[in-house]
């Protein structure tokens, strides 16, 4: 909690431009980062969007969030006691910025100092058993007592138990919708209590956004990225908790699983994780002993978006022949960008710019590991 805060500070004008850009059509975390690298700032990117979209082959303009709409969202957040933090600012969650394509902007309600505690995620079944709920409460409370923060998703069952047990020690709820749309409704009291007790709720989604089924895996990515390790208490064979565990493993986080009875379908997922190398967890000490050596490990000094690199330096913009050459190498199967550069024999800056144009035009899909493919209707 006493760690020195370092990083950039966005001005009010810059924050407004960041909100406008990330809320604009076809602009996700990866596209946002590349726009900053190419254009130099969010305000420049907003001005250049129409031309980039046109060059990407889209006939109609994309929706660009207006200054007025962005101001309304910022004011609505402030009215409910929330605020926006950009990547690279001192209060941006330390481990979140180290994942693939971290959200450039997050909305937070509560105390951002909770993100400076060593974080452990606890997730599991919504229809959890009494034994599972008791175990989640026990490990969350014991982790909190020795200085850990508990990360979870505010869902029914295991998530609720973990949040409640760590409420007075530090807990973070990652949300699938906007901060003003907590889900499920029965956890409204818990949603209000977390910031009041020194914890925080966090979302990358706009205020007013009602969570949909496809938003929960995106939320699970945030849960996994916020933590040093993720504990699965109970999970069926096909559950969101297993998605969180997979994402945590891909990010290099430790994955813990609580063994259960082979006769309980809620243990099939956790037992499968154990067969695949998850750490057997029968008490908080199993988590603590594995996480403690990671706490003081140096982390990458990612203070935000770097200045444009040589990959973006191109004195001559790409011509149609170069665009056609790269486009013809793309298809529905994801390919590595480095392979595209080698095969096309185009300068990296040309390839990156053409891909950005296609992305903004809605003609490109981005995949994990930096792979890309053409978007097919």
């Amino acid at each position: 909690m006493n760690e020195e805060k370092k990083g950039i500070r966005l001005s009010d004008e810059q924050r407004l431009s960041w909100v406008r850009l990330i809320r604009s059509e076809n602009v996700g975390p990866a596209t946002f980062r590349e726009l900053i690298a190419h254009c130099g700032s969010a305000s420049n990117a907003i001005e250049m969007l129409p031309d980039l979209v046109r060059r990407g082959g889209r006939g109609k303009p994309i929706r660009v969030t207006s200054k007025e709409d962005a101001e309304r969202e910022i004011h609505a957040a402030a009215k409910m006691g929330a605020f926006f933090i950009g990547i690279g600012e001192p209060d941006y969650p330390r481990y979140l910025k180290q994942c693939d394509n971290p959200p450039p902007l997050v909305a937070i309600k509560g105390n951002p100092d909770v993100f400076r505690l060593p974080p452990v995620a606890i997730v599991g079944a919504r229809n959890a058993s009494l034994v599972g709920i008791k175990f989640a409460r026990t490990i969350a409370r014991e982790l909190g007592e020795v200085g850990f923060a508990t990360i979870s998703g505010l869902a029914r069952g295991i998530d609720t138990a973990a949040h409640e047990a760590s409420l007075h020690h530090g807990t973070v709820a990652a949300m699938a919708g906007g901060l003003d749309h907590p889900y499920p409704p029965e956890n409204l009291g818990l949603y209000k209590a977390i910031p009041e007790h020194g914890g925080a709720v966090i979302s990358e989604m706009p205020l007013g956004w009602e969570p949909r089924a496809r938003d929960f895996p995106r939320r699970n990515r945030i849960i996994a990225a916020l933590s040093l390790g993720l504990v699965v208490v109970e999970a069926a064979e096909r559950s969101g908790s297993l998605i969180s565990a997979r994402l945590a493993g891909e990010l290099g986080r430790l994955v813990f699983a609580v063994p259960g009875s082979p006769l309980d379908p809620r243990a099939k997922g956790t037992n499968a994780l154990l067969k695949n190398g998850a750490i057997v967890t029968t008490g908080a000490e199993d988590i603590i002993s594995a996480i403690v050596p990671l706490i003081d490990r140096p982390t990458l000094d990612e203070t935000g978006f770097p200045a444009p690199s040589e990959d973006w330096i191109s004195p001559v913009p790409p011509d149609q022949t170069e665009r056609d050459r790269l486009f013809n190498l793309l298809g529905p199967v994801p390919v590595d960008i480095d392979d595209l550069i080698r095969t096309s024999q185009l300068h990296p800056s040309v390839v990156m710019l053409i891909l950005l144009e296609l992305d903004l035009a809605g003609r490109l899909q981005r995949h994990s590991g930096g792979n890309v493919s053409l978007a097919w209707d």
Side-chain angles (χ1 to χ4, degrees):
M1 298 283 280
N2 296 321
E3 180 185 336
E4 183 183 356
K5 295 184 178 183
K6 299 178 181 179
I8 64 171
R9 290 283 186 182
L10 294 177
S11 67
D12 291 344
E13 184 179 350
Q14 288 173 321
R15 201 176 310 276
L16 180 65
S17 294
W18 279 42
V19 173
R20 288 189 65 192
L21 185 58
I22 193 59
R23 301 294 188 240
S24 295
E25 185 181 359
N26 291 345
V27 179
T31 312
F32 186 102
R33 185 181 184 100
E34 293 184 5
L35 280 167
I36 297 295
H38 177 61
C39 305
S41 70
S43 58
N44 288 345
I46 291 168
E47 292 182 7
M48 296 173 68
L49 278 177
D51 188 51
L52 290 168
V53 170
R54 178 188 57 77
R55 283 157 38 187
R58 175 164 166 151
K60 61 178 182 178
I62 63 171
R63 178 191 55 79
V64 179
T65 300
S66 68
K67 182 179 179 180
E68 292 73 22
D69 284 346
E71 287 175 336
R72 275 192 287 270
E73 183 174 0
I74 292 173
H75 292 157
K79 189 174 181 179
M80 63 180 290
F83 46 92
F84 293 96
I85 299 176
I87 188 169
E89 292 196 282
D91 288 329
Y92 191 91
R94 175 184 182 185
Y95 297 104
L96 181 59
K97 68 182 177 183
Q98 297 169 20
C99 72
D100 289 338
N101 298 321
L105 198 72
V106 291
I108 291 175
K109 182 178 181 181
N111 185 359
D113 282 346
V114 71
F115 296 107
R116 301 176 117 41
L117 296 174
V120 175
I122 301 176
V123 298
R126 288 176 170 80
N127 63 332
S129 68
L130 179 59
V131 171
I133 289 172
K134 286 184 174 180
F135 187 82
R137 285 176 177 161
T138 298
I139 60 173
R141 184 185 67 253
E142 292 180 358
L143 287 170
E145 289 172 349
V146 295
F148 287 82
T150 296
I151 315 294
S152 201
L154 202 69
R156 302 177 183 94
I158 298 301
D159 290 25
T160 297
H163 285 308
E164 289 176 341
S166 58
L167 191 60
H168 296 280
H169 303 291
T171 189
V172 175
M175 297 177 55
L179 282 189
D180 55 347
H181 280 77
Y183 182 87
E186 59 262 36
N187 273 351
L188 180 60
L190 180 58
Y191 160 83
K192 292 179 178 179
I194 289 173
E196 292 172 354
H197 288 82
V201 289
I202 182 172
S203 175
E204 64 175 323
M205 305 305 286
L207 262 66
W209 189 273
E210 294 190 21
R212 307 160 299 177
R214 62 183 179 182
D215 294 323
F216 288 92
R218 185 170 178 169
R219 184 276 313 266
N220 293 348
R221 153 182 157 267
I222 300 296
I223 293 174
L226 283 170
S227 58
L228 283 168
L230 181 137
V231 186
V232 183
V233 177
E234 289 181 335
E237 283 185 293
R238 296 179 180 86
S239 71
S241 297
L242 296 187
I243 295 175
S244 298
R246 175 179 59 79
L247 293 170
E250 291 175 354
L251 291 172
R253 308 311 198 236
L254 296 180
V255 177
F256 303 84
V258 179
S261 168
L263 301 178
D264 189 342
R266 289 167 295 198
K268 285 189 175 181
T270 50
N271 290 342
L273 287 174
L274 293 170
K275 291 178 182 177
N276 288 300
I279 299 171
V280 178
T281 305
T282 58
E285 64 276 6
D286 296 321
I287 304 165
I288 295 168
S289 61
I291 293 289
V292 165
L294 305 179
I295 294 174
D296 295 325
R297 180 178 294 180
T299 57
L300 295 176
D301 183 22
E302 295 183 10
T303 54
F305 293 107
S309 69
E310 63 178 8
D311 284 349
W312 280 105
I313 299 172
S314 178
V316 180
D319 59 30
Q320 193 56 47
T321 300
E322 291 171 322
R323 288 191 176 89
D324 291 342
R325 189 192 312 176
L326 189 69
F327 188 84
N328 290 334
L329 291 174
L330 292 166
V333 179
V335 294
D336 184 80
I337 293 176
D338 288 338
D339 288 341
L340 281 175
I341 293 171
R342 283 191 294 268
T343 305
S344 67
Q345 297 184 327
L346 296 173
H347 191 279
S349 67
V350 172
V351 173
M352 299 298 285
L353 182 52
I354 294 172
L355 292 178
L356 176 60
E357 294 168 352
L358 291 172
D359 192 1
L360 289 169
R363 304 174 70 192
L364 190 79
Q365 275 191 301
R366 296 186 183 274
H367 305 270
S368 60
N371 292 346
V372 293
S373 67
L374 285 182
W376 294 81
D377 296 330

